[in-house]
Amino acid sequence: MRLVEILKNMVGKEMPEQAPPVTKWLNFVLRKVEQGHLTATMEVRPDMANPLGLLHGGVQATLLDEIIGMTVHTLEKDKPSVSVNLNIDFLGKARVGETIEVEAWVVRQGRQLIHVVGEIRNAEGKLIAKASSNMLNIEPK
């Protein structure tokens, strides 16, 4: 079964036991999966907050990096990809208990580099953070 189909079968469900530890910790739920496009939701928990009770910037970066990486996997490339960079603008806030939506989509895929953007929005649709990343196809060891 293709990876994009596996991810589609996970829509609306908890992450499986075999998911990477960081993915399980984030505990997001996939809502939409297409080739080159992914959407998920997540509730902001106390262990994700800064001292002000807001979603920590490092958690936002981790969430965006994870969703961007999963989006690249939906392309079914014959080589794995790794992040070359991750540029983030923190533009709003989300409080503990709020549900946020994170979305990523492929803008351009070349032979070696794949450019992806991602956004985090609150329940009202207000932009919390936006990111862009370049992913590099690598040779597996």
Side-chain angles (χ1 to χ4, degrees):
M1 183 181 289
R2 294 179 34 208
L3 180 59
V4 72
E5 297 304 320
I6 292 169
L7 292 173
K8 282 182 179 183
N9 288 332
M10 292 171 50
V11 169
K13 300 175 185 172
E14 289 187 22
M15 286 290 125
E17 201 57 41
Q18 65 269 28
V22 72
T23 306
K24 290 200 52 77
W25 178 78
L26 286 167
N27 198 32
F28 55 81
V29 176
L30 295 173
R31 298 297 178 189
K32 180 179 179 183
V33 176
E34 297 174 352
Q35 190 171 31
H37 186 199
L38 201 135
T39 304
T41 57
M42 181 186 83
E43 183 176 324
V44 178
R45 303 187 312 264
D47 61 328
M48 299 175 162
N50 64 20
L52 300 173
L54 305 173
L55 182 60
H56 191 285
V59 177
Q60 292 178 50
T62 301
L63 178 59
L64 285 161
D65 187 53
E66 188 68 11
I67 294 296
I68 285 170
M70 287 180 81
T71 300
V72 169
H73 286 313
T74 68
L75 299 175
E76 304 285 349
K77 303 293 257 179
D78 59 346
K79 297 178 183 176
S81 300
V82 295
S83 299
V84 174
N85 59 11
L86 179 64
N87 300 300
I88 302 175
D89 294 315
F90 301 104
L91 303 168
K93 58 187 176 232
R95 298 191 181 284
V96 170
E98 286 187 66
T99 298
I100 57 173
E101 180 180 83
V102 60
E103 181 176 19
W105 59 95
V106 173
V107 174
R108 181 184 182 278
Q109 58 176 311
R111 284 182 291 127
Q112 291 189 321
L113 284 177
I114 303 165
H115 184 72
V116 186
V117 296
E119 296 179 343
I120 299 174
R121 294 184 178 272
N122 68 11
E124 292 77 41
K126 181 180 175 189
L127 190 60
I128 303 299
K130 66 176 188 169
S132 65
S133 180
N134 289 303
M135 305 286 288
L136 176 67
N137 294 324
I138 61 169
E139 288 292 332
K141 289 189 174 195

